[in-house]
C-alpha cells in the first residue's frame, strides 16, 4: 500500500437518521452517473417515515446495483433542503473533514477503477450487492488536506465550465425551436401528409459481438446509450473496425444525420457530429427530395414531441416504421426549409463547437480522476 493510502473505513461512518420531518415531496434515488435524481420507485401507500433523511454533506449509495450496472450508484448530497432516500441505501458521512474532504472523496468514487473494484467485491447474486464492510475495506490515497482542496478546486473549475457550455447549448437549441415555430407553425398549413413523405427512414445493425476483429476500431458506433444532453453525438461507447462495418446492416452515416432511438429509451434524438454507424435500435433519418439535414432534425424534434404528447398515458415503448408512416404532419414548404436551414446553420455550428469543447473538458476531468491514485 502506498504511503498516503489508508482504509476508507477509517474515515467514514454510517448514519441512520429517519424521516421524522415527514418529507413526502423530495424522494430521491441515485443514477449510475452518481447524481441524485427523483426516485422512480412507486411510493404511494409507502410508510415514508422509514426512509432515511439526507442532508447537505452526506453520502448515500445503493449497494444492490453495482453488479447489474458495473457501477456503484453513490452520490454526495449538496442541497440545502433535506431529502429522503430508500431505507435500503447506505447513508454515511466523513468522520473528520480536516483529514478527508467530502468533495475529494466523491471524486474518488467517480473513478472507473473504483467501480471496477466494487464490482469485484459483489456477492455474485443477480443484482450483485456489495456489503458495507467491503466498502470500508477499500483503500484510497489521502494527501494533505491542502492538496485535496487544490485537486477539488481544479475539478470544480472544469465542472463549472462544462455546465456553462451546456447551458449555452440549451439556449441555442431553444432558439432554433423558436425559429422553427416562426417559420413553420405560426401559419401552419392545414394540408397534412405522412411524415415519411418528407423523411426517409434508414436502419442499422450490429455485427457479431464475439468476433474480435469487428470491434475496437476507429468507426464510432451509435446506440441509444450514446444519447447525451447535447444535440450532437461526437463520441460513442463502442467502435467498429472496417471489417465490422462491412459485416453489419448499418452504413456509415455522414455528419448531421439525425438518429432517433426506437427501443429502450424511445424517441430521443441525436445529430451525428462525425461519421458513424448505428445499431438496430435506432433509425437514421434523411430528407427526401433534398430537404436539408438541420430542417430534418428540427422537424423530427417537433413531430416526436407531438407523438409523445398524443401518447400521454399510453405505452410509448417502441417506434416502428408504421408509426412514422401513420403520423400525419403539416406539409412544409421546401423554400421555407432552405431558409430555415440557412438561419440555423450558425447556431448548430456553435452547438457542435461547444460540444467538442465539453468533450475535451470531460476528457480532462477523467484524466484528473485517473491521476488521483498517483498523488
Amino acid at each position: 500500500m502506498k504511503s498516503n493510502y489508508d482504509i476508507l473505513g477509517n474515515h467514514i461512518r454510517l448514519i441512520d437518521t429517519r424521516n421524522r420531518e415527514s418529507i413526502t415531496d423530495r424522494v430521491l434515488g441515485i443514477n449510475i452517473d452518481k447524481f441524485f435524481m427523483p426516485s422512480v420507485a412507486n411510493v404511494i401507500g409507502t410508510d415514508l417515515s422509514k426512509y432515511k433523511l439526507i442532508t447537505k454533506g452526506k453520502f448515500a449509495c445503493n449497494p444492490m446495483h453495482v453488479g447489474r450496472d458495473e457501477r456503484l450508484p453513490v452520490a454526495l448530497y449538496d442541497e440545502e433542503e433535506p431529502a429522503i432516500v430508500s431505507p435500503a441505501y447506505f447513508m454515511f458521512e466523513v468522520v473528520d473533514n480536516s483529514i478527508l474532504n467530502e468533495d475529494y472523496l466523491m471524486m474518488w468514487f467517480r473513478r472507473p477503477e473504483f467501480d471496477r473494484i466494487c464490482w469485484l467485491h459483489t456477492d455474485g447474486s443477480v443484482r450483485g450487492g456489495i456489503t458495507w464492510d467491503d466498502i470500508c475495506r477499500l483503500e484510497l490515497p489521502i494527501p494533505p488536506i491542502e492538496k485535496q482542496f487544490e485537486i477539488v478546486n481544479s475539478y470544480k473549475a472544469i465542472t463549472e465550465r462544462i455546465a456553462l457550455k451546456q447551458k449555452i447549448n440549451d439556449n441555442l437549441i431553444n432558439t432554433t425551436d423558436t425559429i422553427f415555430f416562426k417559420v413553420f407553425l405560426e401559419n401552419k398549413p392545414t394540408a397534412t401528409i405522412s411524415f415519411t413523405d418528407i423523411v426517409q427512414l434508414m436502419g442499422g445493425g450490429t455485427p457479431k459481438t464475439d468476433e474480435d476483429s469487428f470491434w475496437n476500431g476507429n468507426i464510432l458506433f451509435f446506440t441509444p446509450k450514446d444519447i447525451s444532453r447535447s444535440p450532437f453525438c461526437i463520441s460513442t461507447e463502442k467502435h467498429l473496425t472496417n471489417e465490422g462495418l462491412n459485416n453489419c446492416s448499418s452504413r456509415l452515416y455522414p455528419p448531421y444525420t439525425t438518429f432517433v432511438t426506437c427501443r429502450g429509451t424511445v424517441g430521443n434524438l441525436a445529430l451525428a457530429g462525425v461519421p458513424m454507424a448505428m445499431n438496430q435500435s435506432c433509425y437514421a433519418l434523411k430528407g427526401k427530395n433534398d430537404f436539408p439535414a438541420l430542417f430534418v432534425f428540427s422537424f423530427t424534434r417537433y413531430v416526436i414531441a407531438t407523438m409523445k404528447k398524443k401518447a400521454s398515458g399510453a405505452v410509448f415503448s417502441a417506434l416502428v416504421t408504421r408509426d412514422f408512416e401513420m403520423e400525419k404532419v403539416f406539409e412544409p414548404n421546401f423554400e421555407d426549409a432552405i431558409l430555415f436551414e440557412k438561419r440555423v446553420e450558425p447556431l448548430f455550428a456553435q452547438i457542435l463547437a461547444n460540444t467538442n469543447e465539453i468533450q475535451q473538458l470531460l476528457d480532462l476531468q477523467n484524466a484528473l480522476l485517473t491521476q488521483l491514485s498517483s498523488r
Side-chain angles (χ1 to χ4, degrees):
M1 185 170 65
K2 296 181 181 179
S3 59
N4 68 336
Y5 272 64
D6 200 358
I7 302 299
L8 181 56
N10 291 339
H11 299 277
I12 60 174
R13 62 188 168 208
L14 279 173
I15 50 178
D16 189 11
T17 307
R18 301 289 168 153
N19 182 27
R20 306 305 179 196
E21 299 183 22
S22 301
I23 294 174
T24 60
D25 59 342
R26 287 179 62 81
V27 186
L28 303 180
I30 306 170
N31 61 29
I32 61 172
D33 292 321
K34 303 181 189 286
F35 290 102
F36 285 101
M37 64 177 186
S39 176
V40 296
N42 184 1
V43 296
I44 297 176
T46 301
D47 182 3
L48 295 180
S49 67
K50 296 180 180 179
Y51 273 55
K52 294 181 179 179
L53 180 73
I54 190 164
T55 55
K56 187 174 182 178
K58 305 299 190 295
F59 293 85
C61 79
N62 182 347
M64 296 308 299
H65 279 238
V66 62
R68 186 187 70 180
D69 301 313
E70 297 185 10
R71 300 174 72 179
L72 179 65
V74 56
L76 172 63
Y77 191 70
D78 60 3
E79 300 290 333
E80 296 294 340
E81 186 177 353
I84 57 175
V85 296
S86 167
Y89 283 11
F90 295 143
M91 193 166 66
F92 59 96
E93 64 183 356
V94 171
V95 174
D96 188 343
N97 295 96
S98 68
I99 297 176
L100 179 61
N101 176 265
E102 62 266 17
D103 290 305
Y104 172 84
L105 178 57
M106 191 63 229
M107 285 181 63
W108 179 257
F109 290 151
R110 293 191 184 284
R111 300 173 72 245
E113 292 85 352
F114 170 78
D115 287 317
R116 185 168 60 250
I117 292 171
C118 287
W119 182 80
L120 293 173
H121 282 85
T122 57
D123 60 16
S125 66
V126 173
R127 298 184 72 185
I130 188 171
T131 69
W132 174 251
D133 287 341
D134 280 332
I135 292 175
C136 288
R137 280 192 286 267
L138 300 178
E139 301 169 356
L140 78 159
I142 305 180
I145 194 67
E146 296 79 13
K147 187 64 176 178
Q148 294 180 44
F149 284 135
E150 179 185 326
I151 296 167
V152 167
N153 288 338
S154 296
Y155 188 85
K156 284 186 174 181
I158 299 171
T159 301
E160 289 170 2
R161 180 69 176 175
I162 291 172
L164 174 62
K165 288 294 180 178
Q166 288 175 331
K167 185 175 181 180
I168 291 172
N169 276 358
D170 290 344
N171 291 336
L172 288 169
I173 197 66
N174 288 338
T175 301
T176 68
D177 287 343
T178 300
I179 296 172
F180 184 87
F181 176 84
K182 289 185 176 297
V183 172
F184 296 104
L185 302 180
E186 277 191 333
N187 299 294
K188 185 170 63 173
T190 56
T192 60
I193 56 175
S194 169
F195 176 77
T196 52
D197 288 334
I198 300 297
V199 177
Q200 177 185 354
L201 305 182
M202 300 171 288
T206 302
K208 292 182 178 179
T209 56
D210 58 356
E211 180 54 64
D212 292 342
S213 64
F214 293 169
W215 298 96
N216 301 316
N218 296 319
I219 299 172
L220 276 65
F221 184 64
F222 181 84
T223 75
K225 289 184 177 180
D226 298 310
I227 291 289
S228 68
R229 181 170 170 177
S230 172
F232 282 97
C233 177
I234 60 170
S235 64
T236 56
E237 182 180 293
K238 298 179 180 179
H239 297 76
L240 300 180
T241 62
N242 286 325
E243 187 177 358
L245 179 64
N246 292 333
N247 282 275
C248 76
S249 301
S250 176
R251 69 182 73 175
L252 186 64
Y253 290 106
Y256 286 78
T257 298
T258 294
F259 298 135
V260 57
T261 61
C262 298
R263 299 176 194 169
T265 305
V266 176
N268 285 333
L269 297 180
L271 275 167
V274 296
M276 59 183 66
M278 178 192 71
N279 82 346
Q280 64 275 13
S281 296
C282 315
Y283 287 116
L285 308 182
K286 178 183 179 182
K288 292 183 176 179
N289 301 316
D290 296 323
F291 272 94
L294 294 177
F295 163 78
V296 169
F297 175 79
S298 294
F299 183 55
T300 306
R301 183 173 162 89
Y302 163 74
V303 170
I304 290 292
T306 302
M307 293 171 73
K308 286 183 176 181
K309 187 176 181 180
K310 288 191 297 186
S312 178
V315 177
F316 199 67
S317 58
L319 286 170
V320 296
T321 302
R322 183 168 175 79
D323 293 320
F324 291 105
E325 291 173 343
M326 297 295 292
E327 186 64 23
K328 297 301 180 182
V329 299
F330 68 88
E331 185 173 3
N333 179 276
F334 180 76
E335 286 73 22
D336 287 344
I338 296 299
L339 172 64
F340 172 80
E341 188 86 1
K342 290 180 179 178
R343 291 181 65 181
V344 300
E345 272 179 343
L347 303 180
F348 278 100
Q350 185 59 57
I351 293 172
L352 180 56
N354 289 340
T355 303
N356 281 311
E357 182 178 344
I358 289 170
Q359 185 59 54
Q360 293 170 0
L361 291 167
L362 289 171
D363 292 342
L364 187 57
Q365 268 192 336
N366 290 333
L368 189 58
L369 294 179
T370 301
Q371 292 169 9
L372 288 183
S373 59
S374 61
R375 294 180 182 272

